[in-house]
């Protein structure tokens, strides 16, 4: 996956969302836990207040008296973080736990109704921050009523430590939950993007010729895309059909003028104007050859799907339905035809081709491909043309001649439409260009070089 990948973007967004949600959940749960612990501790402190008030009394002299019976040993440990304090507002009487040592809690000077409970956050001994619960009561001493303030305090560091411990305990579970959610998001993205992958496979099947259109069973969000692709395919098919029809009409329209031109050439020859007749006849043959080549190129281009098959590879079932051509038989037929031409009849043809070799090309296209390459060799060869074939992952066919060859600087330009390196040799300059078109259409390769015989070599690598 890359940064431009839709899957990467969705997974990144999901990971960020999950991370933020888990962080917020962790902070919220920790705060909720601290709030719960605070309420529990306040309940315990309120219970301690009740115990103190239940055992608070007076001496015969009217002074406050409290016999410590609290079970928590921290009340007896100096600066332990748990304290109590009893203050008589009417008399300078102050009772406090041993844990306060010589420190007095500075309670706010607020008015507490009888039995009311107040909460404070006050500084304590040794720099502690205390959670203080205070209750004011009216204490009956003989005929008099005395207002007493009873406070119980707890170091808030215990609350903070409890929150930190809870956060440390919950982090591994949040990380595990995040991993599970990310895995679920990956599965969701994979399932959600599966229709797009199905569209890609459908388009590849169309390119390879296994299908003509995309199916109509995609989800509602993807179906409009499939319909647009099918509409584009229909428009492209119509355009190709129109182009093929136009090419056929053009070729048919040119045949009659070419026949008339050839007839005029014969009449001129009968009248003794041989030079003019030869010029007209040569012009007619050149035009006929060019028309035939354009028709061949149009047919080859219509099979562009074969190029996708050869490049990407297809399964055994698809390969079984591919067009096949017998290489030795086609090669023999082409050579026999060339041997009846003026150039071919004077040459010695050497064919080194094992029997029973087939290539994934239509027979007529293979004949056109070999015919163009061998005709080029016959035009330039001095005495010999040699054809060698090797098998492997691809079929390798090498056509060599003992002619003058082609300079290295000109090799890169071969195969260009209409290029002729020597105007003295008859031809249209289309042969190697059409051979290149056929190789490209079927996923083959065409290479040019110097032959072992000293002349020009064409190397074909065919599927």
């Amino acid at each position: 996956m890359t940064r431009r990948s839709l899957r990467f973007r969705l997974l990144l967004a999901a990971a960020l969302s999950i991370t933020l949600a888990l962080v917020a959940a962790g902070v919220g749960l920790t705060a909720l836990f601290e709030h719960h612990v605070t309420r529990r501790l306040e309940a315990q402190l309120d219970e301690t207040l009740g115990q103190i008030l239940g055992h608070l009394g007076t001496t015969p002299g009217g002074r406050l008296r409290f016999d410590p019976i609290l079970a928590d040993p921290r009340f007896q440990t100096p600066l332990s973080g748990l304290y109590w304090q009893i203050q008589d507002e009417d008399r300078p009487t102050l009772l406090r736990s041993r844990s306060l040592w010589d420190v007095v809690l500075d309670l706010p000077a607020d008015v507490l109704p009888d039995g009311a409970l107040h909460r404070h956050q006050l500084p304590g001994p040794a720099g502690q921050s205390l959670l203080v619960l205070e209750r004011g009561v009216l204490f009956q001493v003989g005929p008099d009523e005395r207002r007493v303030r009873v406070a119980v305090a707890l170091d808030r560091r215990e609350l903070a430590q409890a929150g930190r411990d809870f956060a440390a305990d919950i982090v591994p579970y949040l990380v595990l939950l995040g991993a599970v959610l990310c895995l679920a998001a990956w599965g969701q993205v994979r399932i959600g993007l599966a229709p797009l992958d199905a569209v890609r496979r459908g388009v590849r099947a169309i390119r390879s010729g296994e299908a003509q259109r995309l199916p109509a069973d995609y989800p509602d969000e993807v179906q409009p895309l499939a319909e647009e692709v099918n509409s584009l395919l229909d428009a492209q098919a119509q355009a190709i059909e129109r182009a093929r029809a136009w090419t056929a009409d053009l070729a048919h329209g040119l045949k009659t003028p070419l026949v008339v031109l050839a007839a005029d050439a014969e009449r001129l020859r009968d009248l003794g104007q041989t030079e003019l007749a030869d010029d007209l006849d040569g012009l007619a043959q050149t035009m006929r050859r060019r028309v035939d080549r354009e028709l061949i190129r149009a047919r080859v281009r219509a099979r562009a799907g074969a190029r996708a098959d050869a490049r990407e590879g297809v399964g055994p079932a698809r390969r079984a339905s591919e067009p096949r051509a017998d290489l030795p038989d086609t090669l023999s037929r082409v050579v026999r035809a060339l041997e009846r031409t003026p150039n071919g009849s004077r040459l010695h043809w050497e064919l080194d081709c094992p029997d029973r070799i087939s290539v994934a090309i239509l027979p007529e296209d293979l004949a056109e491909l070999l015919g163009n390459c061998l005709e080029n060799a016959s035009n330039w060869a001095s005495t010999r043309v040699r054809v060698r074939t090797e098998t492997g992952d691809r079929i390798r066919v090498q056509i060599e001649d003992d002619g003058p060859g082609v300079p290295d600087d000109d090799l890169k330009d071969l195969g260009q439409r209409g290029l002729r390196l020597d105007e003295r040799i008859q031809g249209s300059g289309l042969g190697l260009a059409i051979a290149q078109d056929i190789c490209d259409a079927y996923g083959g390769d065409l290479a040019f070089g110097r032959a072992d015989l000293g002349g020009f070599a064409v190397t074909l690598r065919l599927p």
Side-chain angles (χ1 to χ4, degrees):
M1 291 186 296
T2 63
R3 292 184 178 180
R4 299 181 61 183
S5 168
L6 185 59
R7 181 179 285 107
F8 172 79
R9 296 179 182 181
L10 291 175
L11 290 177
L12 180 60
L16 292 177
S17 300
I18 291 172
T19 301
L20 292 176
L22 291 179
V23 170
V27 173
L29 287 174
T30 302
L32 183 64
F33 174 78
E34 291 180 352
H35 179 67
H36 174 73
V37 171
T38 299
R39 286 192 302 173
R40 294 284 298 175
L41 291 177
E42 287 181 352
Q44 294 178 6
L45 293 178
D46 192 23
E47 182 180 352
T48 303
L49 279 176
Q51 293 178 2
I52 294 175
L53 290 173
H55 293 81
L56 185 61
T58 58
T59 63
R63 297 176 62 85
L64 291 176
R65 177 182 59 82
F66 175 67
D67 298 326
I69 58 171
L70 302 177
D72 197 322
R74 288 180 294 175
F75 286 119
Q76 305 299 321
T77 304
L79 307 180
S80 64
L82 183 61
Y83 315 106
W84 60 263
Q85 179 176 292
I86 303 173
Q87 181 176 344
D88 188 347
E89 291 187 343
D90 297 327
R91 295 186 181 184
T93 302
L94 182 68
L95 302 176
R96 56 190 173 184
S97 62
R98 179 180 175 81
S99 56
L100 274 174
W101 200 245
D102 58 351
V103 177
V104 177
L105 298 179
D106 187 13
L107 300 176
D110 52 356
V111 178
L112 281 74
D114 187 20
L117 181 66
H118 281 200
R119 295 173 177 81
H120 308 291
Q121 184 172 342
L122 303 176
Q128 298 173 350
S129 177
L130 302 180
L131 171 64
V132 180
L133 263 63
E134 177 190 9
R135 192 182 295 277
V137 296
L138 291 176
F139 198 79
Q140 189 73 31
V141 181
D144 300 328
E145 287 186 347
R146 295 161 60 178
R147 184 171 297 278
V148 178
R149 304 177 69 178
V150 181
V152 180
L154 177 68
D155 189 357
R156 292 185 60 87
R157 284 184 298 185
E158 294 190 18
L159 297 176
Q161 185 61 43
R164 288 192 294 268
D165 292 343
F166 176 81
D169 291 339
I170 202 175
V171 163
Y173 296 97
L174 291 178
V175 172
L176 178 61
L177 178 60
V180 173
L181 291 176
C182 288
L183 183 62
W186 178 83
Q188 183 179 13
V189 169
R190 184 178 179 86
I191 294 173
L193 295 182
L196 294 180
D197 190 59
V199 171
R200 180 184 61 82
R201 292 195 302 270
V203 172
R204 183 175 61 184
I206 293 172
R207 279 203 308 158
S208 64
E210 297 177 4
Q212 299 297 325
R213 296 170 60 85
L214 292 177
D217 57 350
Y218 294 108
D220 293 342
E221 293 79 6
V222 181
Q223 187 59 36
L225 174 62
E227 293 175 355
E228 290 296 329
V229 172
N230 287 333
S231 299
L232 180 61
L233 291 173
D234 292 340
Q236 185 181 30
Q238 294 173 5
I240 292 175
E241 188 61 32
R242 287 194 298 268
R244 294 176 64 185
W246 179 84
T247 304
D249 293 342
L250 177 62
H252 181 74
L254 288 175
K255 283 183 179 179
T256 300
L258 290 175
V259 171
V260 173
L261 190 61
D264 290 342
E266 288 298 326
R267 283 195 294 270
L268 289 173
R269 188 174 287 108
D270 293 339
L271 294 175
Q273 300 183 22
T274 306
E275 185 177 354
L276 181 57
D278 291 341
D279 291 341
L280 288 177
D281 193 46
L283 178 62
Q285 291 181 6
T286 300
M287 293 178 64
R288 185 179 297 111
R289 180 179 176 86
R290 188 176 293 272
V291 169
D292 291 341
R293 291 299 186 261
E294 290 302 322
L295 288 175
I296 293 170
R297 287 180 55 243
R299 186 182 73 242
V300 168
R301 285 181 174 179
R303 302 192 184 102
R307 175 167 43 201
D309 267 352
R311 288 183 179 177
E312 296 184 10
V314 292
R318 173 64 181 158
R319 286 197 295 268
S321 63
E322 286 178 345
R324 311 295 297 183
D326 187 280
L327 179 60
D329 179 67
T330 305
L331 187 59
S332 298
R333 287 190 288 107
V334 172
V335 170
R336 285 197 302 269
L338 289 174
E339 285 177 338
R340 294 195 292 269
T341 64
N343 285 332
S345 60
R346 62 179 177 81
L347 300 175
H348 174 65
W349 296 84
E350 300 178 11
L351 301 182
D352 180 11
C353 182
D355 296 335
R356 306 176 66 85
I357 298 179
S358 63
V359 292
I361 299 180
L362 284 175
E364 58 269 28
D365 290 340
L366 179 61
E368 184 67 27
L369 172 61
L370 294 175
N372 280 286
C373 295
L374 289 171
E375 184 179 6
N376 181 79
S378 68
N379 288 337
W380 291 95
S382 298
T383 59
R384 298 171 58 193
V385 175
R386 183 169 62 190
V387 181
R388 293 185 294 182
T389 303
E390 298 176 2
T391 59
D393 293 339
R394 292 198 166 196
I395 307 300
R396 182 175 180 271
V397 180
Q398 188 171 41
I399 301 171
E400 303 174 296
D401 63 68
D402 61 350
V406 177
D408 294 339
D409 294 339
D410 294 332
L411 287 175
K412 63 180 183 301
D413 297 325
L414 288 177
Q416 296 182 11
R417 229 169 259 109
L419 175 67
R420 297 177 61 190
L421 297 181
D422 192 338
E423 298 293 338
R424 295 172 298 175
I425 300 298
Q426 182 180 1
S428 61
L430 294 173
L432 294 181
I434 292 176
Q436 183 71 65
D437 288 341
I438 296 175
C439 283
D440 289 343
Y442 288 95
D445 295 322
L446 181 64
F448 308 113
R450 181 167 293 278
D452 294 340
L453 298 179
F456 181 61
V458 178
T459 302
L460 304 172
R461 293 180 179 86
L462 306 176

